[in-house]
Every structure is written in C-alpha cells, then in structure tokens.
Amino acid sequence: MENLQFIGVDLHSNAFNICKISPDGIKYREKFSLNNPQDVLKFAECLDKNTYVMVEASTNTFSFCDIVRPYVCEIYVANPYKLKLISMVKKKTDKVDAEKLAVILKMQVTSGESLFDPVYIPDQNVRDLRSLFTTYKVLKKQSGSLKNRIRSLYRQNLKTLSATLSLSKPCIKRLKGIKLSESANLQVDILLAAYLSLSEQIKASKDAIQKLGANFIEEVDILTSMRGISVFTALAVIADIGDISRFPNSKKLCSYLRSAPGVDSSNETTRILSTNKQSRKLAVTFLTQALTHFKTSNPKLKAWSAKKDGTKGKGKLRMAICRKVFTEIYQMLKKKQYHYFVDEKNHQFKMKRYISFLKRQELLVEKLKAA
C-alpha cells in the first residue's frame, strides 16, 4: 500500500489533465496534449505497476485505456452520471475534476469498499459492433426523415401517400407519374435521389455488421434458436451484452439493457418508476419490434401475457415481456443452450442463410463448418 499512487484523468477531445496523489499525500497536476504523441509518452513514463488510474467515460475513453493499461496496475472507467461528486462541488474546473477522480479512486482501492462500479470496457470487436450499429441507426433516421418529407410534399398537393410507403423501384415509378407543382417535382426528385443513395449506404452498414458477426458465430447460433430473433437482432443483443459472464444474474442483465423499472420504497409506500435511462437501449429497441413472434412461439409467455393483459398498461406490458425474453437469453448464453421452444426448421433456415452470406464474404469458413 505504501508504494501505490492514484491518478485521476479529466479527458477531453484534444487534451487531458491529471492529478496524481503520491503515497506521502503530495498532489501533482499536469496537462497533456492528445494530439502530441510525445506528450502521451511522457505521461506513460510516470506510470508503473503500482499505479491506479481512473477516467470518466467519454467517446475516446476506451482508446485512451488501451494505451495506458499496459503501464499500470489497473485502470477504471467511471460512469459520469453515477459519479455525482464532481458535479456537486461549487467549483468545477478540469483540475478539480481530475483531483476528485484521484481522491475517489484512492478511497475505493485503500478501503476495499465499492464507492463506484467501473464501466465495462468491451474488447475491440464489441466496440466496432457498437460503433457500426450507431452509424446504422443514424442512417435509418435520416432515411425516415427523407421519406416523411416526400410524403409531406405530396400531401401539400392534395395527394395522400400511405404511412407505410415503401420506396421500391416500381413505387418510385408510380410516384413520378403523379403530377405535382414544378417546385414540388424538383424537390421530390432531389429527395428520391438522396433516399436511394442512403439506402445503399444502409445496406453497406448492415453488411458490415453481419460480416463482423462472424466473430460471434457461436452466440448468434444460440440466440437465433429463439423465434423472433434474426441474425441482425442477435448481433444487436451481443453488441449490448458483450461478455455474458460479467452478469451474476438475469436481473443485472435486465437492468443493464433498460428493461427493469426502478423502485421507490419508503415505509409502506412503494412506487414503480420508469426504466433506467442511463442503461443501453439497442437490444430492447430491436426486441420490442418482435414481441408478437416471442408470444406466438412460446406457449408459457403467451399464457402469461394473456393473463397480464388488461392489468398493466400497454407500455409496461411490452417492457415486462422484454424482461422475460432477456431472462431467457441470459440462460441460453450462460448455459450455451438453444431455446427451449426452438423451431429447428426456422433456426436452420436463419443460420444457413447467414453462413451463406459469410462464405460469400470469404469469412471463417472452417470455423463455420465446426459450428
């Protein structure tokens, strides 16, 4: 304990401030530039295996951790929402933030008490998967905006289009046959060109996600045994979970995947709160789109849902079903077993199509044969 030193890092996009607390209690502060490789090496030189480092989670935190980790005993990533001590002080500067991180880190390591739960640092494949899904969601949102604008232009000219409009080539041909004002026609042509270009980019991002999924072929095979979970949805679940072994039970998993409500209990009064908005939401977003499949393929879930229908609000019931599904997913991945109500024909169809896709990309053919 006498040789330990604790460093708090206030990380920004182009620089970082550190506060180092030495064993004798002396505090040392310095600012480094991320754009200067020499500065980063200078910081690494002051580290050793008796050093603990803590940094708040941000966009570039994981890459920073990859550089620092080999030089230190341990590096922790703190959730900025949960680490409220920094935001509660009246004086808030980069130096103060770094010092608070160092102090909290020292208290946790030396006392042995859990003052904060470190953020999970996924491996590079999971990070890439999360990043690709973020880009995919951005592109899908832009695609929806373009489609809504096209419908709006037709509505302005008293031409109503379906809310479920599919802009396929035959549909686009029919749309161009509808006469609008000269200005509206020009805008529609521009928007359709942008939409078609964006559709190609969406497909490219989706293909990239599925190609990266070759690294998780075993997990994909297990998850797709459940009706309602496609290969793409399975990869969304994997991107959120990362390593299933880090969850001690299914309740922790449900909370992490934004499907468990909060509870406010005092004396004899208990209130059920909304779900934790700070947790990950990618998996639950995909699952809510396939609730019908889950209910029709699982007799127990269908009976339970029918029993609860009418006693809960529609939103609460949807989230409750998601929790049930996440609990089953936890058991499947933990035990490495297919779903209890697996439809072999449906499962084989999904995996055969996915394996064919990967083989066309010349990815892990030998590994797939073994799987």
Side-chain angles (χ1 to χ4, degrees):
M1 284 289 186
E2 293 182 358
N3 298 322
L4 298 182
Q5 60 180 357
F6 307 92
I7 299 178
V9 179
D10 185 47
L11 184 64
H12 297 279
S13 59
N14 60 349
F16 60 98
N17 290 268
I18 72 162
C19 176
K20 179 170 67 174
I21 301 179
S22 302
D24 52 8
I26 297 176
K27 296 176 183 177
Y28 168 80
R29 299 181 179 88
E30 191 169 352
K31 184 174 182 178
F32 298 91
S33 171
L34 281 174
N35 297 326
N36 185 354
Q38 295 301 321
D39 253 21
V40 179
L41 288 175
K42 182 182 176 183
F43 172 64
E45 288 174 357
C46 73
L47 305 175
D48 56 42
K49 290 300 180 179
N50 291 319
T51 303
Y52 288 83
V53 178
M54 185 160 77
V55 56
E56 282 189 323
S58 61
T59 306
N60 56 351
T61 297
F62 291 158
S63 296
F64 180 82
C65 291
D66 290 341
I67 297 173
V68 175
R69 187 182 290 108
Y71 298 95
V72 299
C73 177
E74 188 63 76
I75 182 167
Y76 296 99
V77 178
N79 186 330
Y81 294 102
K82 294 183 178 179
L83 208 63
K84 295 181 179 179
L85 288 176
I86 290 178
S87 60
M88 289 173 65
V89 296
K90 293 182 179 179
K91 182 180 179 182
K92 187 181 185 304
T93 65
D94 294 343
K95 291 182 179 180
V96 171
D97 287 353
E99 181 178 341
K100 287 294 183 181
L101 287 168
V103 170
I104 295 170
L105 176 62
K106 182 180 179 181
M107 290 170 61
Q108 169 135 330
V109 174
T110 57
S111 69
E113 297 181 7
S114 181
L115 302 178
F116 69 93
D117 294 323
V119 172
Y120 164 63
I121 304 178
D123 64 33
Q124 192 59 51
N125 285 327
V126 175
R127 289 187 223 171
D128 290 342
L129 200 58
R130 289 180 176 183
S131 180
L132 283 167
F133 266 109
T134 300
T135 298
Y136 173 80
K137 290 192 297 178
V138 169
L139 294 176
K140 288 289 287 184
K141 186 176 181 179
Q142 292 176 352
S143 176
S145 297
L146 290 173
K147 189 184 291 187
N148 289 338
R149 178 57 185 159
I150 291 170
R151 290 212 323 270
S152 175
L153 285 168
Y154 278 91
R155 192 161 56 246
Q156 290 173 19
N157 288 266
L158 303 179
K159 309 293 183 182
T160 304
L161 300 180
S162 170
T164 58
L165 175 68
S166 174
L167 293 180
S168 58
K169 289 183 178 180
C171 180
I172 290 175
K173 187 176 181 180
R174 289 196 300 271
L175 289 179
K176 289 188 174 182
I178 300 175
K179 292 183 179 180
L180 303 176
S181 67
E182 183 178 350
S183 173
N185 277 326
L186 174 62
Q187 293 178 70
V188 168
D189 288 341
I190 294 172
L191 292 167
L192 284 174
Y195 178 85
L196 292 175
S197 175
L198 197 60
S199 297
E200 293 179 1
Q201 295 168 23
I202 291 172
K203 184 181 182 303
S205 66
K206 188 172 183 179
D207 286 348
I209 289 170
Q210 294 188 105
K211 285 168 65 176
L212 189 58
N215 297 300
F216 308 97
I217 190 67
E218 183 180 357
E219 291 85 352
V220 170
D221 184 38
I222 291 171
L223 291 174
T224 51
S225 66
M226 180 184 287
R227 286 292 297 268
I229 295 186
S230 64
V231 169
F232 201 64
T233 299
L235 290 172
V237 172
I238 293 167
D240 269 1
I241 292 175
D243 183 6
I244 192 65
S245 64
R246 65 194 182 93
F247 297 99
N249 52 58
S250 59
K251 289 183 179 180
K252 294 289 185 181
L253 177 66
C254 291
S255 177
Y256 183 75
L257 298 182
R258 197 178 286 198
S259 61
V263 178
D264 182 8
S265 179
S266 178
N267 196 13
E268 298 179 355
T269 304
T270 300
R271 292 191 305 119
I272 304 299
L273 307 177
S274 60
T275 55
N276 180 12
K277 302 303 181 185
Q278 299 167 18
S279 49
R280 297 195 61 83
K281 63 178 181 178
L282 178 64
V284 75
T285 301
F286 276 84
L287 255 63
T288 52
Q289 299 171 9
L291 294 184
T292 302
H293 291 285
F294 296 135
K295 289 189 290 186
T296 55
S297 63
N298 188 332
K300 291 184 178 179
L301 184 60
K302 185 177 181 180
W304 179 87
S305 177
K307 183 179 179 181
K308 295 293 183 180
D309 193 15
T311 63
K312 294 179 178 286
K314 295 294 183 182
K316 289 184 177 180
L317 182 58
R318 284 198 300 270
M319 202 53 62
I321 294 173
C322 285
R323 283 198 299 276
K324 291 280 188 181
V325 174
F326 280 136
T327 300
E328 293 181 349
I329 285 174
Y330 176 82
Q331 297 298 333
M332 290 162 61
L333 291 175
K334 201 78 170 179
K335 298 176 181 178
K336 295 185 177 181
Q337 294 178 354
Y338 288 155
H339 191 243
Y340 186 77
F341 296 103
V342 58
D343 183 332
E344 292 288 352
K345 186 176 180 181
N346 177 266
H347 180 223
Q348 289 175 10
F349 172 77
K350 286 186 282 189
M351 286 306 299
K352 185 177 180 180
R353 187 168 61 176
Y354 182 47
I355 289 172
S356 297
F357 166 81
L358 291 179
K359 286 183 176 179
R360 289 196 301 272
Q361 309 297 324
E362 299 181 354
L363 290 171
L364 298 178
V365 174
E366 293 302 321
K367 185 176 180 179
L368 294 175
K369 286 180 180 177

